[in-house]
Structures are given as C-alpha cells and as structure tokens.
Amino acid sequence: MPPIIETEGATKWFAQKVPQSGFTGRLRNFLKPVTRDVKAVDGISFAIEAGEAVGYLGPNGAGKSTMIKMLTGVLVPTAGSVRVLGRVPHEERIVNARDIGVVFGQRSQLWWDLPLFESFELHRRIYRIEKGRFDRARAELVDMLQIAPFLERPVRQLSLGQRMRGEIAMTLLHDPKILFLDEPTIGLDVVAKDVVRKLISRVNRERGTTIMLTTHDLRDIEEICPRLIMVDDGKLLFDGPLTNLNASFGARRKLTLEFASEPATVMLAGAEPAGGEGVIRTFLMSDDRRSLVDIIAALKSDAELVDVHLHEPDIEEVIRTYYQSRQRQAAPSKRTG
Amino acid sequence: MQTLSLYLYLVRLQLRTRLQYRANLLIGWVAQAFGYASVYGTIWIIASRFERLGGWVWPEIALMLGFHVLGYALGALFTFVQLRGMEELVRLGTYDTLMVRPVSPWAFLAFSGINIEYGGHIALGVGMIAWALPQLGIDWSVLTVAQLVASLISAALLTGATLTIIAAMALVLTRSRYLFGIYFDFWELSRYPLTIFALPLQLTLLSIVPLGYMAYVPVAALLGKPVPLIGAAAPFAAILAGPVMVVVAMLVWQACQRRYQGAGG
C-alpha cells in the first residue's frame, strides 16, 4: 500500500521584502519592492503509513506550520512534491479537505458566539455528513472526549482546554483518515495538556486515524508519537523512532558511582571517565544497550561501591544540547561573514 | 443543493449571532442614518441653491443617490464587513482555517458574515427611489422596469466584485485596508453626476475605477440624459459592468490565492 502522506524534496520559499531606507528607497519599495527568498521548508522528504502517529518537531520558525499548510492544500510548494492520500493537496484542495481533519492550536474553527453543538451542526453541513452517521459519530465523540457538560454552552465561555477538546471532537465528526494538529497543546495548562495528549493518542489507537502533529513541546511527542521527524531551519534533521534519537544525536547515559572511600583506581570497560571527586566518579556510557548489571559486573576498583545512579538523557536534553551546539557553530560564521 | 443549504444555514447562524447584540445593531442603524442624512442634506442644499447640479435637478439626484446606496448595500451586504478585515484574517491565520475546509473561502466569508446593518441602507435607498420616481415622468414599460432591475443588480455585483478584488490583495500583500480607503474616496465621488467633473476624472470613473456604473450611468440611461464618453452604449454598459467585474474579481481572487503565502510558519 502506498504511503498515506509522502513528500519528495518538498520546498517552500517565501518572498520577503527587503526594506529600503531614504525617500527614493521607500518609493522603490512601493513601486518595485526588492525581495529576497527565505526557505521555510528546504527539500524535505518523508513517507507516513496509514495508522502512524508522527510528531513533527522543531523550534519556532523551523517550517513546521508551512509543511502542514502544504499538506493540507493551503500553500503551493515552490519545488518538490507533496502527496496526501495519493492527491496533490493544493490541486484538489476541496476533495482532500473532505478526507482530512486539521486542528490549529492557536486558531479556533468553532463559532465563537454560539453553543458548541451549533458548530458541530455546521460541520455536518460543510462535510455533507449523512444525519444517521453524524448522530452516531457525535454520540461516540461526545463520550470519548467528555464534552457533554459544555456542549450547549457558547464557545466564548469555554476554557482553552474545553475548547480544544471541542475542536478535536468536531474535526473527527467526518471520520477523517488523517488528523493534522498544529501545536494542539499550546497555551494549555498542565492538566489540560495531559487530557488532550491522552485523547489524541486514543484517537490514533482506537480509531486508527493517522496523526501528524507539530509541536515544540517534546512531551506531546513522547506521549503520542512513536515516530519523530525533527526539523530545523527548514531542513530534516532526524526521522525515525523516538527511541533511536539518543543514538543518532550521540547522547549518552551517565553513570555516577559512589564509593565508601576515595578510590585510587576505577576501571569501567566501555565507559569514558567524565569527572568526579572524592568518593564520587562519573562515566559516560558508550553502549546504550548494556544493562546496569553488566556494567557494574565489569567494574574494577580498589574501593567498595556503595551507590550507583544511572542517568538516562531525556529527549528534551538531547535536543536542547543539539540546538545549542548548532547555535554555537553558527555564531562564529555570522561574525566572520 | 447541499451547497445552497449550507450557505443559508450560515446566514441563519450569523443572524442569530447578530441578534444577540440588538442594542449594537440599533445604534449602528441610527449612526448610519445620521451620516447619510447629513451628506444627502448637503447635496440637497447645493442642488436647491443652484437649481441644477451638472444638469441634474434634485429629484433626479435623489433617484441617483437612492440607486447608489441601494446598489452598494446589496453588494456590500455580502462583502464589505467580511472582506474589510481580510488582512487580519491573513495575519492571524484565520484564513488558513477556511482553506482546510471543503468550501470556497470567499463564499464562506460572504455568507457567514452577512451584515444586517445594511437593512438601514436598503430602506433608505428604496425610500428615496420610491419618492423620486413618480416626480420624473418616466415612460414605464416592461423594458424600462427590466433595465432598472438589471442595472441595480449590476451595481450590486460591481460593489461586491470591487471589494473582492481589493480584499484579494491581502492574500498576496498581507495588506489591503488602505485600498479600501482609496475605494471609498472614489465611491463618494460616484454619488454625483459625472458631468460636474473634469474629463480625466470622468474617464477614471468609467474605466480604471468603474464606479461611474454604480448609479450615474444607469440612472442617466433610465432618464435619457446624455452620458459623456460612452453615449448610447450607456444602458448596456450599466447592465454589463457588474457581471464583467465579477469575472475579473474571480480571476484576481484565484490568482492571489495561488500566490498566497500565509503569515508565519
């Protein structure tokens, strides 16, 4: 079966005006503006199979929303190809829209002044959902997302978390094959974030809906998406299972050993000493698959071991370290260039 | 059929929303009535003082003003308030939320934002036309009635199409509000007989900014008054201007939508 979403060298350039100073500059700006191309998405290729849940991660300005907009037919790619359900989204925008659902974390699609159920009814008419099918889907989603208590309340009176649950329920009414979520947990409090993450994950598991979500919150990905696509500066950095991320980015586990007295020698096979003083010694592990028992069994020391602490790098740390190293690399070239 | 039912449902939702704020609606109507009364009063004083304005007497001018406000209101009902905020829709990403639905974003905006505040304009326009027509001795026939109705529809289409073209600019330039300002400068000029203006302005209002076809050309054609530059073609031009602008607006909208860059990303 062909992938449900496929991009091949997808590229999107935006023409950005270059401001001109002075009177003639301003006049030229008005008559014939000088523009420069900014690459928001730069030759990105990936394929997503039906039923997958994929997180699309990157810092602000990395081109995440631009990719979602190309996949939903809002934007036309400058180069490369984008296919969703076998179609070119911008060429068949309306047909494509019937098979997908899109939730924008920062923009509501609900009717602000009317009760939530009125937006659902409008959705039924927009997507031409047959009444019986709509009633069944609505009952199921109201139950699943627990929105019955505020279904009849005007949207403007709902909390952000309630509104997001309403948005997700509405977007699923026409049973889309793919659900795109653009920053679905942005602005939510910790509890609401947790509720929304669990719901999205359930939608993927129980309904088999393919999920693609953009975020800069790693917890969204940890809890929803087994697969991660990471981008920065418009380019693809990583595409694979979340569990492979540490190895790909060279992140290593840190082992801290505490001895009864200060050891003269400490030898640990397959580990690199990383400091420590007094009774404490720290090592960086080169092989991520070794068990703690094996590691400790290989320890050679003249002092008695009293405590062991193994620190697993979390993905946030891995990615933060990576971005910081990128910024450090970029900084000197900016100064000299 | 389903599309029509969707649009009617959007209108119903919008009416219910608007009626939640009845006091606002009433204040809006009163404010508009004062605004128009002062402008029309000024034109009436000028016309009465000098008896004629560009060769037109007050009842003829009143018919033109009624036609102007009615044609404008019928077109703006579906377009002005909705499209005036186009640059905000683009900037805040609201337009993206329309693009991801299986609807025409323009039609969705037009019907979901239908503005009943124009009820006052429509009442004013109908009232002025009803007052002016019996005083003008028009030789009524099926053809003149058809001409009046068709040119009124054309004026409404012209309004909707022009406002659509301006709003489409926001899709590319992310700014369009200043263009609405320019539109209303010409719109105010189009309330007067074109004959009071110099030739370059007449030419502008009949070509590049074709607001001369809003009221002056159709009413002059109905009253059998001479029309500069287009002469005997006036009745046809009055009827065709709107549909032609609609075609232009559709092409511009499509072209701008294809070049749409969104905001942020």
PDB file of all heavy atoms in Angstrom, chain B residues 194 197-210 213 228-229:
ATOM      1  N   LEU B 194     -21.604  62.664 -13.100  1.00  0.00           N
ATOM      2  CA  LEU B 194     -20.226  62.673 -13.607  1.00  0.00           C
ATOM      3  C   LEU B 194     -19.885  63.960 -14.360  1.00  0.00           C
ATOM      4  O   LEU B 194     -18.717  64.345 -14.467  1.00  0.00           O
ATOM      5  CB  LEU B 194     -20.034  61.464 -14.540  1.00  0.00           C
ATOM      6  CG  LEU B 194     -18.834  60.573 -14.256  1.00  0.00           C
ATOM      7  CD1 LEU B 194     -18.899  60.000 -12.866  1.00  0.00           C
ATOM      8  CD2 LEU B 194     -18.764  59.441 -15.285  1.00  0.00           C
ATOM      9  N   PHE B 197     -17.528  66.740 -13.119  1.00  0.00           N
ATOM     10  CA  PHE B 197     -16.076  66.522 -13.007  1.00  0.00           C
ATOM     11  C   PHE B 197     -15.358  66.778 -14.329  1.00  0.00           C
ATOM     12  O   PHE B 197     -15.978  66.731 -15.401  1.00  0.00           O
ATOM     13  CB  PHE B 197     -15.783  65.083 -12.571  1.00  0.00           C
ATOM     14  CG  PHE B 197     -16.397  64.708 -11.256  1.00  0.00           C
ATOM     15  CD1 PHE B 197     -17.295  63.644 -11.173  1.00  0.00           C
ATOM     16  CD2 PHE B 197     -16.093  65.412 -10.098  1.00  0.00           C
ATOM     17  CE1 PHE B 197     -17.871  63.298  -9.968  1.00  0.00           C
ATOM     18  CE2 PHE B 197     -16.669  65.066  -8.888  1.00  0.00           C
ATOM     19  CZ  PHE B 197     -17.563  64.007  -8.815  1.00  0.00           C
ATOM     20  N   ALA B 198     -14.051  67.021 -14.227  1.00  0.00           N
ATOM     21  CA  ALA B 198     -13.234  67.212 -15.431  1.00  0.00           C
ATOM     22  C   ALA B 198     -13.056  65.871 -16.152  1.00  0.00           C
ATOM     23  O   ALA B 198     -13.260  64.805 -15.550  1.00  0.00           O
ATOM     24  CB  ALA B 198     -11.857  67.749 -15.023  1.00  0.00           C
ATOM     25  N   LEU B 199     -12.702  65.942 -17.418  1.00  0.00           N
ATOM     26  CA  LEU B 199     -12.609  64.748 -18.271  1.00  0.00           C
ATOM     27  C   LEU B 199     -11.743  63.613 -17.689  1.00  0.00           C
ATOM     28  O   LEU B 199     -12.181  62.456 -17.700  1.00  0.00           O
ATOM     29  CB  LEU B 199     -12.106  65.148 -19.664  1.00  0.00           C
ATOM     30  CG  LEU B 199     -12.097  64.014 -20.682  1.00  0.00           C
ATOM     31  CD1 LEU B 199     -13.509  63.536 -21.011  1.00  0.00           C
ATOM     32  CD2 LEU B 199     -11.365  64.440 -21.953  1.00  0.00           C
ATOM     33  N   PRO B 200     -10.523  63.919 -17.152  1.00  0.00           N
ATOM     34  CA  PRO B 200      -9.697  62.809 -16.645  1.00  0.00           C
ATOM     35  C   PRO B 200     -10.408  62.002 -15.555  1.00  0.00           C
ATOM     36  O   PRO B 200     -10.331  60.777 -15.510  1.00  0.00           O
ATOM     37  CB  PRO B 200      -8.456  63.500 -16.080  1.00  0.00           C
ATOM     38  CG  PRO B 200      -8.402  64.809 -16.769  1.00  0.00           C
ATOM     39  CD  PRO B 200      -9.803  65.205 -17.054  1.00  0.00           C
ATOM     40  N   LEU B 201     -11.145  62.716 -14.686  1.00  0.00           N
ATOM     41  CA  LEU B 201     -11.848  62.026 -13.597  1.00  0.00           C
ATOM     42  C   LEU B 201     -13.030  61.226 -14.152  1.00  0.00           C
ATOM     43  O   LEU B 201     -13.304  60.098 -13.708  1.00  0.00           O
ATOM     44  CB  LEU B 201     -12.325  63.050 -12.561  1.00  0.00           C
ATOM     45  CG  LEU B 201     -12.707  62.484 -11.194  1.00  0.00           C
ATOM     46  CD1 LEU B 201     -11.628  61.584 -10.620  1.00  0.00           C
ATOM     47  CD2 LEU B 201     -13.013  63.621 -10.214  1.00  0.00           C
ATOM     48  N   GLN B 202     -13.710  61.802 -15.165  1.00  0.00           N
ATOM     49  CA  GLN B 202     -14.812  61.071 -15.814  1.00  0.00           C
ATOM     50  C   GLN B 202     -14.282  59.773 -16.399  1.00  0.00           C
ATOM     51  O   GLN B 202     -14.870  58.692 -16.234  1.00  0.00           O
ATOM     52  CB  GLN B 202     -15.424  61.911 -16.942  1.00  0.00           C
ATOM     53  CG  GLN B 202     -16.219  63.097 -16.458  1.00  0.00           C
ATOM     54  CD  GLN B 202     -16.790  63.912 -17.621  1.00  0.00           C
ATOM     55  OE1 GLN B 202     -16.578  63.584 -18.791  1.00  0.00           O
ATOM     56  NE2 GLN B 202     -17.506  64.977 -17.301  1.00  0.00           N
ATOM     57  N   LEU B 203     -13.131  59.907 -17.068  1.00  0.00           N
ATOM     58  CA  LEU B 203     -12.523  58.746 -17.725  1.00  0.00           C
ATOM     59  C   LEU B 203     -12.144  57.677 -16.680  1.00  0.00           C
ATOM     60  O   LEU B 203     -12.394  56.481 -16.876  1.00  0.00           O
ATOM     61  CB  LEU B 203     -11.270  59.217 -18.481  1.00  0.00           C
ATOM     62  CG  LEU B 203     -10.675  58.255 -19.504  1.00  0.00           C
ATOM     63  CD1 LEU B 203     -11.670  57.980 -20.622  1.00  0.00           C
ATOM     64  CD2 LEU B 203      -9.376  58.803 -20.072  1.00  0.00           C
ATOM     65  N   THR B 204     -11.578  58.147 -15.557  1.00  0.00           N
ATOM     66  CA  THR B 204     -11.183  57.213 -14.486  1.00  0.00           C
ATOM     67  C   THR B 204     -12.399  56.453 -13.968  1.00  0.00           C
ATOM     68  O   THR B 204     -12.369  55.230 -13.805  1.00  0.00           O
ATOM     69  CB  THR B 204     -10.526  57.999 -13.326  1.00  0.00           C
ATOM     70  OG1 THR B 204      -9.464  58.767 -13.865  1.00  0.00           O
ATOM     71  CG2 THR B 204      -9.997  57.071 -12.248  1.00  0.00           C
ATOM     72  N   LEU B 205     -13.482  57.194 -13.693  1.00  0.00           N
ATOM     73  CA  LEU B 205     -14.669  56.574 -13.096  1.00  0.00           C
ATOM     74  C   LEU B 205     -15.437  55.673 -14.071  1.00  0.00           C
ATOM     75  O   LEU B 205     -16.336  54.940 -13.676  1.00  0.00           O
ATOM     76  CB  LEU B 205     -15.596  57.646 -12.529  1.00  0.00           C
ATOM     77  CG  LEU B 205     -15.104  58.276 -11.223  1.00  0.00           C
ATOM     78  CD1 LEU B 205     -15.873  59.543 -10.898  1.00  0.00           C
ATOM     79  CD2 LEU B 205     -15.187  57.294 -10.064  1.00  0.00           C
ATOM     80  N   LEU B 206     -15.070  55.759 -15.361  1.00  0.00           N
ATOM     81  CA  LEU B 206     -15.732  54.883 -16.344  1.00  0.00           C
ATOM     82  C   LEU B 206     -14.809  53.762 -16.823  1.00  0.00           C
ATOM     83  O   LEU B 206     -15.200  52.939 -17.637  1.00  0.00           O
ATOM     84  CB  LEU B 206     -16.224  55.699 -17.547  1.00  0.00           C
ATOM     85  CG  LEU B 206     -17.374  56.677 -17.246  1.00  0.00           C
ATOM     86  CD1 LEU B 206     -17.684  57.528 -18.458  1.00  0.00           C
ATOM     87  CD2 LEU B 206     -18.631  55.949 -16.790  1.00  0.00           C
ATOM     88  N   SER B 207     -13.545  53.757 -16.308  1.00  0.00           N
ATOM     89  CA  SER B 207     -12.632  52.702 -16.784  1.00  0.00           C
ATOM     90  C   SER B 207     -11.861  52.039 -15.636  1.00  0.00           C
ATOM     91  O   SER B 207     -12.283  50.994 -15.147  1.00  0.00           O
ATOM     92  CB  SER B 207     -11.666  53.261 -17.826  1.00  0.00           C
ATOM     93  OG  SER B 207     -10.964  54.368 -17.295  1.00  0.00           O
ATOM     94  N   ILE B 208     -10.793  52.677 -15.171  1.00  0.00           N
ATOM     95  CA  ILE B 208      -9.932  52.018 -14.171  1.00  0.00           C
ATOM     96  C   ILE B 208     -10.678  51.751 -12.857  1.00  0.00           C
ATOM     97  O   ILE B 208     -10.579  50.681 -12.284  1.00  0.00           O
ATOM     98  CB  ILE B 208      -8.670  52.878 -13.861  1.00  0.00           C
ATOM     99  CG1 ILE B 208      -8.000  53.324 -15.156  1.00  0.00           C
ATOM    100  CG2 ILE B 208      -7.674  52.119 -12.989  1.00  0.00           C
ATOM    101  CD1 ILE B 208      -7.009  54.456 -14.975  1.00  0.00           C
ATOM    102  N   VAL B 209     -11.397  52.773 -12.389  1.00  0.00           N
ATOM    103  CA  VAL B 209     -12.189  52.604 -11.155  1.00  0.00           C
ATOM    104  C   VAL B 209     -13.653  52.766 -11.576  1.00  0.00           C
ATOM    105  O   VAL B 209     -14.216  53.844 -11.474  1.00  0.00           O
ATOM    106  CB  VAL B 209     -11.812  53.674 -10.098  1.00  0.00           C
ATOM    107  CG1 VAL B 209     -12.451  53.339  -8.759  1.00  0.00           C
ATOM    108  CG2 VAL B 209     -10.315  53.794  -9.956  1.00  0.00           C
ATOM    109  N   PRO B 210     -14.293  51.703 -12.055  1.00  0.00           N
ATOM    110  CA  PRO B 210     -15.565  51.880 -12.791  1.00  0.00           C
ATOM    111  C   PRO B 210     -16.798  52.146 -11.918  1.00  0.00           C
ATOM    112  O   PRO B 210     -17.863  51.585 -12.135  1.00  0.00           O
ATOM    113  CB  PRO B 210     -15.694  50.546 -13.545  1.00  0.00           C
ATOM    114  CG  PRO B 210     -14.963  49.560 -12.719  1.00  0.00           C
ATOM    115  CD  PRO B 210     -13.883  50.302 -11.993  1.00  0.00           C
ATOM    116  N   TYR B 213     -20.470  53.396 -13.000  1.00  0.00           N
ATOM    117  CA  TYR B 213     -21.572  52.497 -13.381  1.00  0.00           C
ATOM    118  C   TYR B 213     -22.435  52.100 -12.184  1.00  0.00           C
ATOM    119  O   TYR B 213     -23.406  51.379 -12.331  1.00  0.00           O
ATOM    120  CB  TYR B 213     -21.013  51.226 -14.050  1.00  0.00           C
ATOM    121  CG  TYR B 213     -20.187  51.526 -15.270  1.00  0.00           C
ATOM    122  CD1 TYR B 213     -18.802  51.589 -15.197  1.00  0.00           C
ATOM    123  CD2 TYR B 213     -20.806  51.784 -16.503  1.00  0.00           C
ATOM    124  CE1 TYR B 213     -18.032  51.890 -16.304  1.00  0.00           C
ATOM    125  CE2 TYR B 213     -20.040  52.085 -17.619  1.00  0.00           C
ATOM    126  CZ  TYR B 213     -18.655  52.147 -17.511  1.00  0.00           C
ATOM    127  OH  TYR B 213     -17.909  52.458 -18.622  1.00  0.00           O
ATOM    128  N   PRO B 228     -21.343  61.259 -20.891  1.00  0.00           N
ATOM    129  CA  PRO B 228     -20.087  61.521 -21.590  1.00  0.00           C
ATOM    130  C   PRO B 228     -19.317  60.235 -21.881  1.00  0.00           C
ATOM    131  O   PRO B 228     -19.450  59.250 -21.145  1.00  0.00           O
ATOM    132  CB  PRO B 228     -19.311  62.406 -20.603  1.00  0.00           C
ATOM    133  CG  PRO B 228     -19.942  62.169 -19.276  1.00  0.00           C
ATOM    134  CD  PRO B 228     -21.363  61.817 -19.538  1.00  0.00           C
ATOM    135  N   LEU B 229     -18.558  60.260 -22.942  1.00  0.00           N
ATOM    136  CA  LEU B 229     -17.627  59.191 -23.349  1.00  0.00           C
ATOM    137  C   LEU B 229     -18.294  57.896 -23.859  1.00  0.00           C
ATOM    138  O   LEU B 229     -17.830  57.285 -24.805  1.00  0.00           O
ATOM    139  CB  LEU B 229     -16.654  58.819 -22.209  1.00  0.00           C
ATOM    140  CG  LEU B 229     -15.773  59.976 -21.720  1.00  0.00           C
ATOM    141  CD1 LEU B 229     -15.109  59.643 -20.392  1.00  0.00           C
ATOM    142  CD2 LEU B 229     -14.721  60.330 -22.754  1.00  0.00           C
TER     143      LEU B 229
END
